[in-house]
Amino acid sequence: MIKPLRKAVLPVGGLGTRFLPATKAMPKEMLPVVDKPLIQYAIDEARAAGIEEFCLVTARGKDNLIDYFDAAPELEKTLQDRGKTSTLAALEASAISAGSMVAVRQNMPLGLGHAIWCARSFIGNDPFAILLPDDIVKSDRSCIGQLADIYHQTGGNVVAVNEVPQHLTNQYGILETGKDDGKLVEVKGLVEKPAPADAPSNLSIIGRYVLTADVLEPLSQLKTGVGGEVQLTDAMAQLIGKQPFHGLRYEGTRFDCGSKVGFLEAQIAMSIERSDLGDDVRAFLKKYI
Ligand code: UTP
């Protein structure tokens, strides 16, 4: 029987060096896109897929991420007294119900694979989603929900994939592909950051995964890979051939908010469609271009 997907791990232990000095005293995941922090987009996407149990893998200096999800009774009361109902609704929509979020510390930023291994008690023996909050995916159906659908059909591992320019393969986890119907592709191999000449394809993994708990076993060896980091890609590669493993060309647009250009693009894409902001954004864009 295929176990239902109920859990999500959100690794937020990285240093966020590309956004220094902004991230010197604030977690990257609290940077707002329009008026919501990056972490909220990831939580909303997971909830839209029916996921209600969350584990943040945090680090020193990231405690306000946890505070963010706490109740704010004084603030709520003030907003209520002042009749600010829409702001109050936005605040309430961001709340997490009691006991449904845990945080574990990654004591050293040893890589994404290490961050996931730090969540092992939370994961237990259950399938789980991973959402890297750096990536915002704008889509009709939640991106992680699209992956969850495939997981519920196959009972195996699914990663969201994208074509990238061949010369950029050395920045991503890249698939070696098998059967491919244009949407769902069988994964035959996985390589982290291959040189363009060695890359088995130009299909790259974005920050959305649904994995079985079996990935914890190879992760527990804490072997380092590219960049001296414990690579999730290397551990996932160990599952290929033992259980179903697919890449899904998801429907939607991904913004890499871990990069400055992606972050700026997300600000524009997410604000231009808002009824309260769109006209102003269009007008000022015309002014600058
Ligand atoms: P990145 O590669 O974007 O690294 O991590 P980073 O430290 O966040 O940012 P830069 O490159 O220095 O600007 C991808 C994801 O993996 C998490 C990050 O928090 C981010 O969600 N991560 C990375 C960890 O949780 N722990 C790590 O040791 C490394």
Side-chain angles (χ1 to χ4, degrees):
M1 205 192 72
I2 296 174
K3 284 189 182 176
L5 178 70
R6 301 205 193 287
K7 295 181 175 178
V9 177
L10 295 100
V12 293
L15 297 173
T17 54
R18 282 172 289 173
F19 278 92
L20 283 169
T23 48
K24 188 176 162 200
M26 178 172 84
K28 172 172 71 173
E29 299 76 13
M30 283 303 292
L31 293 174
V33 170
V34 191
D35 49 12
K36 279 199 304 187
L38 289 174
I39 189 79
Q40 182 75 56
Y41 286 89
I43 294 281
D44 289 349
E45 185 186 321
R47 279 175 161 168
I51 295 171
E52 283 297 341
E53 291 175 53
F54 301 99
C55 177
L56 301 183
V57 184
T58 71
R60 273 186 297 285
K62 302 241 176 179
D63 289 350
N64 61 0
L65 271 166
I66 299 162
D67 293 340
Y68 172 79
F69 288 106
D70 206 347
E74 299 86 0
L75 188 55
E76 282 166 27
K77 172 146 193 341
T78 307
L79 292 173
Q80 211 153 26
D81 293 348
R82 294 184 184 171
K84 304 234 175 204
T85 44
S86 64
T87 314
L88 188 62
L91 201 65
E92 282 168 356
S94 72
I96 289 280
S97 59
S100 57
M101 177 176 276
V102 298
V104 296
R105 282 276 181 127
Q106 184 188 21
N107 51 6
M108 294 282 280
L110 299 180
L112 178 58
H114 181 253
I116 300 303
W117 178 74
C118 290
R120 61 195 179 280
S121 300
F122 168 80
I123 297 167
N125 208 16
D126 294 323
F128 64 103
I130 303 173
L131 297 97
L132 305 190
D134 298 19
D135 278 339
I136 290 183
V137 186
K138 193 166 166 293
S139 56
D140 292 337
R141 164 109 172 96
S142 145
C143 178
I144 205 73
Q146 296 174 43
L147 264 57
D149 291 345
I150 304 295
Y151 161 75
H152 286 123
Q153 285 161 30
T154 64
N157 307 276
V158 202
V159 291
V161 297
N162 239 332
E163 256 95 18
V164 293
Q166 188 74 28
H167 70 279
L168 296 182
T169 56
N170 56 2
Q171 297 182 12
Y172 302 98
I174 298 289
L175 269 60
E176 184 189 333
T177 61
K179 257 205 315 211
D180 185 350
D181 70 5
K183 192 172 169 208
L184 195 64
V185 47
E186 192 188 349
V187 179
K188 287 275 188 198
L190 289 167
V191 207
E192 185 62 29
K193 301 188 173 65
D198 304 329
S201 78
N202 68 338
L203 261 191
S204 96
I205 305 174
I206 71 154
R208 298 290 184 270
Y209 313 67
V210 175
L211 302 177
T212 68
D214 296 313
V215 76
L216 292 174
E217 203 285 312
L219 279 179
S220 69
Q221 295 162 20
L222 299 181
K223 261 202 221 139
T224 52
V226 176
E229 297 194 337
V230 180
Q231 297 289 354
L232 178 62
T233 306
D234 297 342
M236 292 191 301
Q238 304 277 323
L239 303 180
I240 298 166
K242 297 178 188 150
Q243 43 188 254
F245 210 126
H246 293 90
L248 177 71
R249 291 187 185 82
Y250 57 94
E251 281 164 25
T253 309
R254 170 240 190 179
F255 301 99
D256 174 9
C257 296
S259 79
K260 285 173 196 158
V261 170
F263 182 70
L264 293 171
E265 192 183 348
Q267 303 285 355
I268 295 182
M270 304 306 274
S271 55
I272 212 159
E273 62 167 25
R274 292 242 313 228
S275 57
D276 58 337
L277 297 170
D279 291 346
D280 288 342
V281 174
R282 264 185 217 95
F284 80 60
L285 283 176
K286 278 192 193 132
K287 188 171 110 186
Y288 283 100
I289 292 167

